[in-house]
Amino acid sequence: MARSGRLRSGAAGKLKRWRKGHSSDCNPETRQHRLAARSRFCSRPAEKSNLTVDAVKLHNELQSGSLRVERRSDSTQLPMEEDDAAEAATEKSSGTFLSGLSDCTNITFSKVQRFWESNSAAHKEICAVLAAVTEVIRSQGGKESETEYFAALMTTLEAVESPESLAAVAYLLNLVLKRVPSPVLIKKFSDASKAFMGIVSSQACGSSTSALRWILSCLATLLRKQDLAAWSYPVTLQVYHGLLSFCVHTKPKVRKAAQHGVCSVLRGSEFMFGDGAPEHHPAAPSTAKFCVQEIEKAGGTKEATTTLHVLALLRDLLPCFPAAVVKTCCETLLRVMTLSHVLVTACAMQAFHSLFSAQPSPACLPAELNAQIITALYDYVPSTSDLQPLQTWLTTMERAHINLGRLQKDLCWAHLPRLFSAAMNCFLSPHSQVVAVAAQTLETLLSECVAPHVEDLGTVSASAPAPAAYLCKMFRSVEEGLTYRFHAAWDEVLRVLEVFFETCGKQCHPIMRKCLRSLCDLRLSPHFPYTAEVDQAVGAAVSAMGPEVLLEAVPLEIDGKEETLDFPRSWLLPVLRDYVQGARLGFFTSYFLPLAATLKSRAVEFTQAGKSVEAKIYDTLQWQVWTLLPGFCTHPTDVLGAFKGLARTLGMAISERPDLRPTVCQALRTLIHKGCETDAERAEVGRFAKNFLPILFNVYSQAEEDGGSSAQRRSVLDTVRAYLTITDPQMVCGFLQKASEKLTSPESSEFARLSILDLVVAMAPYADEESLSSLYRTIQPSLQSKERSMQKKAYRVLEEVCAAPHAPCQAFIHSHLQELQAALLDSLKSAASPAKRPRLKCLFHIVKQLAAEHEPFITALVPEVILCTKEVSVGARKNAFLLLVEMGHAFIRFGPTPQEAMQRFLLLVYAGLTGSVTMISCTVLALTRLFFEFKDHLELSVVEQLLQNICLLLASRTRDVVKAALGFLKVTLLLVDTKLLAKHVQTMLEALGNLSDDMRRHFRMKLRNLFTRFIRKFGFELVKGLLPAEYHKVLVNIRKAEARSRKQRALRQAAAETDEEEAPLAQPRGESMEEILADSEDEEEEKEEQQRSKEWRKQARQKGQAWLKEGEGDEPLNFLDPNVSQRVLATEPGPKRSRGVSHDFQMSEDGRLIIHEEEEEVDDDEAKGADEDMADVLQDVGLRSKKSQKRRFREEPDDEEPEAGTYPQYRAGGSGIHRQLNKEPGFGAEYRSKKGKGDVKKKGQLDPYAYIPLNRSRLNRRKRAKMQGQFKGLMKGAQRGAKAGRRSRLKAQRS
């Protein structure tokens, strides 16, 4: 069907045209549709009306959906004024020729039912045949089964005479045969095949092939349903060979139907999937013989059309043949490839590719035959300048070796070195695509053929026997890619080497050391462009081989005794840092620790000598050496034996070296999280907790001058937390007791007490119940301390204990629940603002564990929680809303029903509406959040009462209260059903209309959003009628904005649909059935075949010719050369043409580019929905955080205070004192003349030029004259400059 808005091809010439500018001078002369409409509306028609009882009934049935497809003929329609007899006649007339189609109960013909609306004669014929057959089956009392349809259609097939009816019956038979039971088709095989073959013989030479196509499909289905015994009869093979003969038919659709049928028989016969299934189909040898004979019969003809058809068939059938037949077919394919016909060679290569990709069984493709094919294909290697054939050859060889590796690993490895050598020659191709495919081929072979078996080899040396020798040859081939003749493809060579190192580096490092040295020397070359690729390749070697092997092959050449400060291999240190893992921790102790100590002492010497630059260099080097430690702590192999020799050094570095403290702490955390994988390793590292934890405690308790910056202190605290996870609980209790003693000691400073409390927060979750009781008694006075920091830290301790999932902490909470409640209520009045966040979080965890008898405790907390919803701290507000919701869940848990529990809880919250202004606004925010969370548990009367109370609060004179009430209304519009909301829309709008002028002006944007939602829900007229006149202008503006948004949205959707790949327009169809019924056994495969045939024809047009590559210089072309096939090119030799530059811009119909500016924001009201309009409200009730806030709230307890440098920096902008001082000069400013106008030439720089920048506003028609003037002025200026330059040159020549 043609697309809307487009005319069919050839229809444009039939339209009446007006002269330009005269399309609206007068109405057209022909007005038949207007006259017809006027006659119907202004007068009664003279003839009988088409509005009949039958038509009305049909309309009603279609509307109700009870009738899917049914049409009445006009000859049976009766006027509405007729009596009951006429109605009865109308009822009887509903059984028309389409009744059998419309109410056909067999789902096999469901796709036919969509043909009833088609204007095609062939479609109508199909519908008529199906309707007639259905009526015949019903008249004989049938059940409309597939067998009954098969019998009726076979009878009809013998009776029909016209080609159209024959095609229609064949199409229906093709559909129903797939569902007929197999025993029926086996029994009726003789009769059905005889009838089909008779039609095939009569239609084979005819011009119309539509019936032939479907009959061939029916034959294939019939053969596929036969059992194994039937294939021993000659008649079955005779029928099959008849189908097979059409695989080289000249008509494409007939040929494709036959090829599809043959493939379905050989690969999809039912007996091939049973228990006693044979290895191959009985007809497979004869099929292969037919293919070979057809290819040999076609010979080396110029077009080779038949050969191409047979090759396309073999591409699908080769994996189904037995081994002996496969060998014969492959030999034939190889002989055909010697013809040097480009398309034949490509199709033969595709056949080989499909054979290897199918991964057939050894009964089809033995490993020896696979290896022989691989060897033979080396005689057909295309030239390195031939793009597409060489890519096809590489992918085919890749699949061949992968399949050979699956069949026999040793044989595959024996053939891999030759392929590696041939693939490396492809790296010399001038085409980058060939180089990329060759690299991908080698990487795939390494990962799929080599990697699974490389561990079985052990350590590979240069003199190792096979199969290790094959691996050495492969690596030497790739290593040769580092020579200069491969310099254009070094990036791909380095990627292949990276994969080689990853897969084989652990076993093959003895043969890779020379390559590593070459890589490092290559990286030091001046202007080497692939340093990143070298770093990745060396990094892969580090990960696979380990740093010891790398440094043996490529020494670091840094020992602290250098005479110069070049350090040519210092780049290895960052590579080692990024890639080392799974190494020996002892190697770091034995090699890098002494090196770091030597470098540090050398730096100290230079510092004492006053050589600050040299000192800084050596200090940086020793710091880089220490940064390797976290990598060595990632999955080390010798934790049990090596950590004890390193622990003392690490402890001294933490306490004595502030510059190394973050690195060492990171290494310890990495070792604990990623290095201790067994219980023994965790116990070994945890054994040193008694040494590390006191050091870390002391460092953290020191002031910032000694203990480092705040970032270092956080790193130390994170390390303490990590170490506590593997520390013995008894040791933790001992540390906790000592910390409690220091807390109560009068000698401790305030900073020390706060630091100790941070450490106590970290240790508390790992203590036992007795230690927690003692700790609680220690911190309880601090809960009411006047020092805000102490109070906050005390609450943090309590929060960690309440939130910890460990059994001692849970037991402590249950045993001290009453005591905790009393303490928290007593400290309510003395709770400072900074302590609100941890206090609310602590209450949150306690409320989770309360039962119904603790309801008074929750009741006492309600006022505090409501007030905290407007705390200064973002975290406090967030926790207040979380606690409020948890209290609601607690009331629901208390019962008796959720509705009664929520009503009881809301009564407690309502009390806040009688308090101060701040309390009222906080209460409204709390009610908004509760309504959002528990809307399903609130009764209708409660919601209505709540809505009325909020509407009354809109009359308040306080902005905070009105703001909270407006937020509640927004949430209500989002959540409440429109029918329920309609009862109160008048109340809400009247309350909004009665706002004072000050409130209306202050909340104008909030009101606008509210009115927009009201208009969307209830319509413009209703909202306008319920609001005062001063709001009408805003409402009209909203309506216009909504209309504009809808229009822009529609335009964007239309543009998006246009950008998508459109289906091609329907072409004019002929009379043949295949052009009308684009259907086959599988519609998806049919579409793919059509697309493939289009691409095939396109390739035939483009690649039907071949080129001969002449010899170099005067060397003649030797046709007796065994490699002469490489001289036959499918790609035209010569310089490549530069393609047009592609861009991602859209283009309008008139050819203009559509460029969207980045600053332009597209508004889409429907897309953003509640997420944008409700952002501020959800933020106020704690459901969304601010998008841009000065300080983000973080969950971690140690990130409460804002850090230095986290506040956004001021950026200059505007004018005056706010102007940007370091403004970059405009483009071309360096050519501007300092004295006069215009630009001047600069020595050693490019010549200046003038241009007019692209700007969307230039597309405006009203500014076109201005643009023309700019261009004219530009051209005149250029001409004047050229004349002046010419005169000056002439004057200089004369002088």
Side-chain angles (χ1 to χ4, degrees), residues 2-47:
R3 196 162 60 92
S4 173
R6 293 276 182 95
L7 294 174
R8 289 185 178 180
S9 177
K14 302 177 184 179
L15 298 179
K16 186 173 180 179
R17 298 287 184 182
W18 291 277
R19 288 180 299 164
K20 187 174 181 181
H22 295 271
S23 59
S24 59
D25 285 353
C26 62
N27 287 329
E29 297 176 358
T30 57
R31 297 178 294 176
Q32 56 179 352
H33 299 292
R34 295 187 181 185
L35 293 176
R38 184 178 301 170
S39 67
R40 291 186 179 182
F41 284 103
C42 301
S43 62
R44 296 183 59 83
E47 48 190 53

Side-chain angles (χ1 to χ4, degrees), residues 122-369:
H123 284 181
K124 290 181 178 179
E125 185 69 22
I126 291 175
C127 295
V129 170
L130 178 60
V133 171
T134 304
E135 288 299 323
V136 170
I137 292 174
R138 288 177 182 172
S139 64
Q140 297 181 1
K143 299 180 180 179
E144 300 184 40
S145 64
E146 287 83 0
T147 305
E148 293 170 340
Y149 273 106
F150 168 63
L153 287 171
M154 288 299 297
T155 305
T156 309
L157 186 68
E158 298 173 356
V160 295
E161 296 179 356
S162 64
E164 293 81 8
S165 300
L166 182 63
V169 176
Y171 174 75
L172 294 173
L173 265 173
N174 172 54
L175 292 180
V176 77
L177 269 176
K178 300 166 189 174
R179 294 180 175 269
V180 176
S182 298
V184 176
L185 293 181
I186 293 173
K187 186 176 182 180
K188 294 294 181 182
F189 174 74
S190 178
D191 298 334
S193 60
K194 183 178 180 180
F196 290 154
M197 292 301 293
I199 296 174
V200 166
S201 60
S202 63
Q203 297 285 326
C205 300
S207 59
S208 177
T209 58
S210 53
L212 181 59
R213 174 189 176 188
W214 304 118
I215 291 296
L216 291 176
S217 181
C218 293
L219 269 176
T221 306
L222 187 64
L223 290 169
R224 198 171 70 242
K225 296 279 187 175
Q226 302 306 306
D227 54 7
L228 183 59
W231 286 93
S232 60
Y233 305 138
V235 63
T236 309
L237 289 175
Q238 183 180 359
V239 173
Y240 174 75
H241 288 155
L243 173 65
L244 186 62
S245 63
F246 284 90
C247 290
V248 291
H249 197 272
T250 55
K251 296 294 181 67
K253 293 195 175 182
V254 174
R255 182 174 65 252
K256 289 177 183 177
Q259 290 184 357
H260 185 274
V262 169
C263 292
S264 65
V265 170
L266 294 188
R267 303 176 66 175
S269 293
E270 292 185 351
F271 64 82
M272 296 293 292
F273 302 99
D275 295 334
E279 292 182 351
H280 57 84
H281 199 279
S286 59
T287 307
K289 183 178 179 181
F290 168 81
C291 294
V292 172
Q293 289 176 351
E294 289 294 328
I295 292 176
E296 292 177 348
K297 188 189 303 181
T301 56
K302 184 177 180 182
E303 294 298 329
T305 307
T306 304
T307 304
L308 293 176
H309 298 335
V310 177
L311 290 177
L313 179 63
L314 282 175
R315 182 179 57 201
D316 297 324
L317 293 184
L318 268 180
C320 308
F321 292 163
V325 176
V326 169
K327 183 177 182 180
T328 305
C329 291
C330 291
E331 291 173 352
T332 305
L333 291 178
L334 293 172
R335 285 199 302 271
V336 168
M337 290 172 66
T338 59
L339 300 176
S340 298
H341 190 286
V342 174
L343 289 179
V344 170
T345 304
C347 290
M349 200 64 73
Q350 289 178 2
F352 281 122
H353 185 272
S354 65
L355 172 64
F356 297 128
S357 299
Q359 295 186 351
S361 63
C364 172
L365 183 64
E368 294 77 10
L369 180 58

Side-chain angles (χ1 to χ4, degrees), residues 781-970:
S782 300
L783 296 176
Q784 300 183 7
S785 173
K786 294 182 180 180
E787 297 180 7
R788 296 187 171 187
S789 299
M790 289 293 295
Q791 187 184 112
K792 179 181 178 181
K793 302 289 185 184
Y795 276 112
R796 283 285 295 114
V797 173
L798 208 55
E799 176 191 349
E800 286 296 322
V801 174
C802 294
H806 302 100
C809 296
Q810 296 297 320
F812 169 77
I813 296 297
H814 286 296
S815 60
H816 293 74
L817 192 57
Q818 298 291 342
E819 191 176 351
L820 285 171
Q821 293 179 26
L824 290 172
L825 288 179
D826 292 340
S827 60
L828 173 60
K829 296 180 180 180
S830 59
S833 181
K836 291 287 187 182
R837 191 194 73 80
R839 172 183 168 83
L840 291 169
K841 196 71 176 210
C842 182
L843 289 170
F844 172 80
H845 292 293
I846 289 178
V847 168
K848 271 187 174 181
Q849 305 183 14
L850 294 182
E853 60 268 15
H854 301 108
E855 186 172 329
F857 173 69
I858 299 180
T859 304
L861 293 177
V862 170
E864 178 193 6
V865 179
I866 292 176
L867 282 174
C868 286
T869 57
K870 296 197 75 172
E871 270 289 334
V872 178
S873 169
V874 178
R877 295 200 299 270
K878 179 182 177 181
N879 288 345
F881 284 114
L882 289 176
L883 178 55
L884 194 67
V885 173
E886 187 57 41
M887 291 162 71
H889 286 298
F891 268 85
I892 292 176
R893 196 166 63 244
F894 297 163
T897 62
Q899 289 76 16
E900 294 181 9
M902 284 310 302
Q903 189 170 2
R904 198 166 69 252
F905 182 48
L906 286 179
L907 287 176
L908 300 176
V909 181
Y910 284 155
L913 296 176
T914 60
S916 62
V917 172
T918 305
M919 189 66 179
I920 293 174
S921 62
C922 293
T923 304
V924 175
L925 287 177
L927 289 171
T928 305
R929 178 62 183 269
L930 291 174
F931 181 54
F932 186 89
E933 293 287 342
F934 300 103
K935 56 184 178 297
D936 298 330
H937 299 304
L938 297 178
E939 295 180 351
L940 184 60
S941 58
V942 175
V943 175
E944 292 179 348
Q945 180 186 3
L946 188 57
L947 193 57
Q948 291 173 1
N949 291 334
I950 298 298
C951 290
L952 292 176
L953 290 175
L954 285 173
S956 174
R957 297 180 180 179
T958 308
R959 288 179 176 178
D960 285 346
V961 177
V962 175
K963 179 182 178 182
L966 291 175
F968 184 89
L969 290 183
K970 282 188 179 181

Side-chain angles (χ1 to χ4, degrees), residues 72 189 267 310 451 470 534 764 1025 1078 1109 1117 1218:
R72 275 73 172 173
F189 174 74
R267 303 176 66 175
V310 177
Y470 302 139
V534 171
K1109 183 179 179 182
L1117 181 59
H1218 302 288

Side-chain angles (χ1 to χ4, degrees), residues 1006-1041:
K1006 292 183 178 293
L1007 288 173
R1008 182 186 179 89
N1009 292 336
L1010 267 177
F1011 293 151
T1012 303
R1013 291 197 159 273
F1014 272 112
I1015 290 174
R1016 289 177 185 172
K1017 278 185 174 288
F1018 302 106
F1020 174 78
E1021 297 298 334
L1022 176 63
V1023 177
K1024 182 180 179 183
L1026 294 176
L1027 284 174
E1030 54 266 24
Y1031 287 96
H1032 291 178
K1033 186 176 180 181
V1034 178
L1035 296 178
V1036 171
N1037 184 269
I1038 291 173
R1039 182 172 63 176
K1040 291 180 179 179

